[in-house]
């Protein structure tokens, strides 16, 4: 018993960077039992470590994330994302993490062509790694000259197909922070790769959505029934369901437009409360852009087209009842919406003269 106590004391005295180094070493030698223990020990220590220690641990992980084989790196990426979530400075590892996630998406986007050239039919689920032996067997049995990729490229594309989702999880938490989105390394490459893989990998769609979030974006909002208008600034809003609720809370709830304001639980779901309120959320408007096209709630604020230098949203009466279940799709991202200016009647009339009538859906 005494030896156990001494062992536990020694383990508890180890720093988070030391424990991360253990996790790296056990992962590289494919000792998954020891790696699991090292990961758990690192997470436990991270709960107590200060910001400096967590950031130093992230610094230990960063160079390994940059060059580890894709098949060995997913759990390292998740640990890195977990440390960022617990307060480590994301900048210590974002350069490496964004580059590798982009690489995963780029390679995974090539896998369907490879699978098709090998005679595969239905794509294997990227989340089911038990299919890896079956996939490799088919690829190895195929005529090398018929494959869409070389043997080396095929191996990398297959590895990426089955690991990209886990790699991406390391980015999903930090990307919900405004300061990370503002200074994200490799943004253009990551955005292009996430866009290319979005129809194939749900994780790529989530990353793509975060990269398209608008921050400090000015909106011109016109209420067609009354001719009133408003200039607002938004940020951190994940989709138009969330935007719809926040517009109703600001304009109806703020007393600027007549109507039934959204329930406080709906507003909480769209901001910082439970994302799925009991009974769901009901719409208050029909959103239309300045060109007369409907703005679908399933879209994102970035989809709203620009008219005369600003994204314009026209609020029409809802043609039918709309309801949805979730207030926000990124639960850790803090949305902002501020009413900067109520347009004067002349200003509102000038904007109203520029917009097209609503078209049929």
């Amino acid at each position: 018993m005494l030896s156990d106590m001494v062992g536990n004391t020694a383990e508890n005295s180890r720093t988070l960077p030391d424990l991360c180094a253990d996790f790296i070493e056990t992962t590289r030698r494919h000792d998954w039992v020891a790696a699991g223990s090292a990961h758990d020990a690192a997470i436990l220590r991270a709960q107590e470590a200060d910001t400096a220690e967590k950031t130093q641990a992230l610094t230990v992980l960063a160079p390994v994330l940059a060059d580890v084989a894709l098949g060995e790196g997913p759990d390292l990426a998740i640990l890195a994302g977990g440390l960022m979530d617990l307060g480590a400075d994301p900048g210590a590892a974002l350069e490496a993490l964004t580059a590798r996630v982009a690489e995963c998406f780029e390679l995974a986007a090539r896998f369907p062509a490879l699978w098709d050239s090998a005679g595969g039919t239905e794509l294997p689920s990227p989340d089911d790694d038990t299919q890896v032996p079956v996939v490799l067997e088919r690829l190895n049995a195929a005529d090398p000259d018929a494959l869409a990729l070389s043997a080396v490229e095929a191996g990398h594309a297959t590895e990426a197909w089955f690991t990209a989702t886990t790699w991406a999880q390391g980015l999903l938490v930090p990307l919900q922070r405004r300061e990370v989105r503002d200074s994200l390394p490799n943004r253009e490459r990551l955005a292009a790769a996430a866009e290319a893989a979005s129809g194939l990998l749900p994780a790529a769609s989530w990353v793509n959505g975060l990269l398209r979030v608008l921050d400090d974006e000015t909106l011109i909002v016109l209420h067609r029934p009354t001719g009133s208008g408003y200039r607002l600034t938004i940020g951190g809003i994940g989709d138009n369901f969330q935007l719809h609720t926040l517009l109703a809370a600001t304009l109806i709830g703020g007393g600027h437009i007549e109507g039934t304001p959204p329930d406080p639980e709906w507003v909480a779901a769209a901001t910082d409360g439970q994302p799925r309120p009991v009974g769901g959320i009901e719409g208050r408007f029909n959103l239309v852009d300045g060109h007369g096209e409907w703005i679908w709630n399933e879209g994102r604020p970035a989809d709203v087209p620009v008219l005369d230098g600003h994204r314009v949203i026209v609020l029409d009466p809802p043609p039918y009842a709309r309801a949805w279940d979730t207030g926000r799709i990124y639960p850790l991202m803090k949305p902002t919406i501020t009413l900067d200016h109520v347009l004067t009647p002349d200003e509102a009339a000038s904007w109203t003269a520029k917009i097209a009538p609503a078209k049929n859906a």
Side-chain angles (χ1 to χ4, degrees), residues 15-331:
T15 67
L16 184 55
D18 290 337
L19 295 172
C20 286
D22 286 350
F23 184 44
I24 292 167
E25 191 272 330
T26 52
T27 296
R28 279 184 155 163
R29 71 168 190 260
H30 297 180
D31 185 346
W32 304 123
V33 173
S37 297
H39 175 273
D40 292 347
I43 291 297
L44 283 174
R45 174 62 192 171
Q47 308 294 327
E48 302 176 355
D50 61 18
T51 299
E53 185 176 344
K54 285 180 281 199
T55 301
Q56 182 58 39
L58 202 55
T59 303
V60 170
L61 289 172
V64 183
L65 288 170
D67 64 13
V68 70
L70 291 179
E72 295 178 352
D75 289 338
L76 296 171
I78 288 180
L79 179 56
L83 293 177
M84 295 178 198
D85 186 31
L86 291 170
D89 179 3
L94 275 177
E95 178 73 37
L97 189 54
T98 53
R100 296 313 298 279
V101 173
E103 179 186 0
C104 266
F105 288 160
E106 290 163 351
L107 288 167
R110 304 180 70 187
F111 179 80
L114 170 68
W115 186 242
D116 181 67
S117 68
T121 53
E122 183 178 354
L123 278 170
S125 169
D127 300 321
D128 183 7
D129 59 11
T130 64
Q131 296 186 63
V132 171
V134 176
V135 170
L136 293 179
E137 182 179 359
R138 176 174 287 278
L139 293 178
N140 291 333
D143 179 358
D145 294 332
L147 293 180
L149 304 175
S150 70
V152 172
E153 292 172 325
H156 290 161
T158 302
E159 200 172 28
W161 180 256
F162 287 104
T163 62
T165 295
T166 313
W167 271 97
Q169 288 176 20
L171 271 183
L172 289 178
V173 168
L175 280 176
Q176 293 182 60
R177 294 164 57 175
R178 166 70 188 273
E179 66 272 18
V180 171
R181 297 194 300 274
D182 280 350
S183 57
L184 190 70
N186 302 306
R187 172 180 276 275
E188 290 186 7
R189 179 187 178 191
L190 180 61
E195 179 72 25
S198 284
L200 303 168
L201 303 171
S205 297
W206 290 110
V207 171
N208 186 44
L210 284 165
L211 293 174
R212 298 186 66 228
V213 166
L214 301 177
D215 291 304
D216 288 337
E217 181 76 10
T218 298
L219 298 181
I220 298 296
V221 178
L222 304 172
H223 186 236
R224 200 185 319 255
T226 61
S228 58
Y230 312 87
R231 187 175 71 241
L232 301 96
T233 301
I234 63 167
I237 295 175
D239 64 11
N240 292 335
F241 286 112
Q242 185 181 16
L243 175 61
H244 190 140
T245 302
L246 294 176
L247 286 173
T250 302
L251 298 176
I252 299 178
H256 302 283
I257 294 174
E258 289 188 3
T260 304
D263 188 285
E265 288 190 13
W266 306 350
V267 181
T271 52
D272 57 5
Q274 291 295 327
R276 296 174 69 90
V278 176
I281 300 169
E282 297 175 7
R284 292 292 184 257
F285 310 113
N286 192 48
L287 306 184
V288 179
D289 67 32
H291 305 284
E293 302 289 346
W294 285 25
I295 298 171
W296 297 102
N297 284 334
E298 292 81 359
R300 302 177 187 278
D303 298 328
V304 178
V306 171
L307 175 67
D308 202 14
H310 293 289
R311 300 182 196 274
V312 174
I313 296 178
V314 182
L315 307 179
D316 282 337
Y320 51 83
R322 282 198 184 98
W324 51 91
D325 295 330
T326 303
R328 65 189 189 280
I329 58 174
Y330 297 109

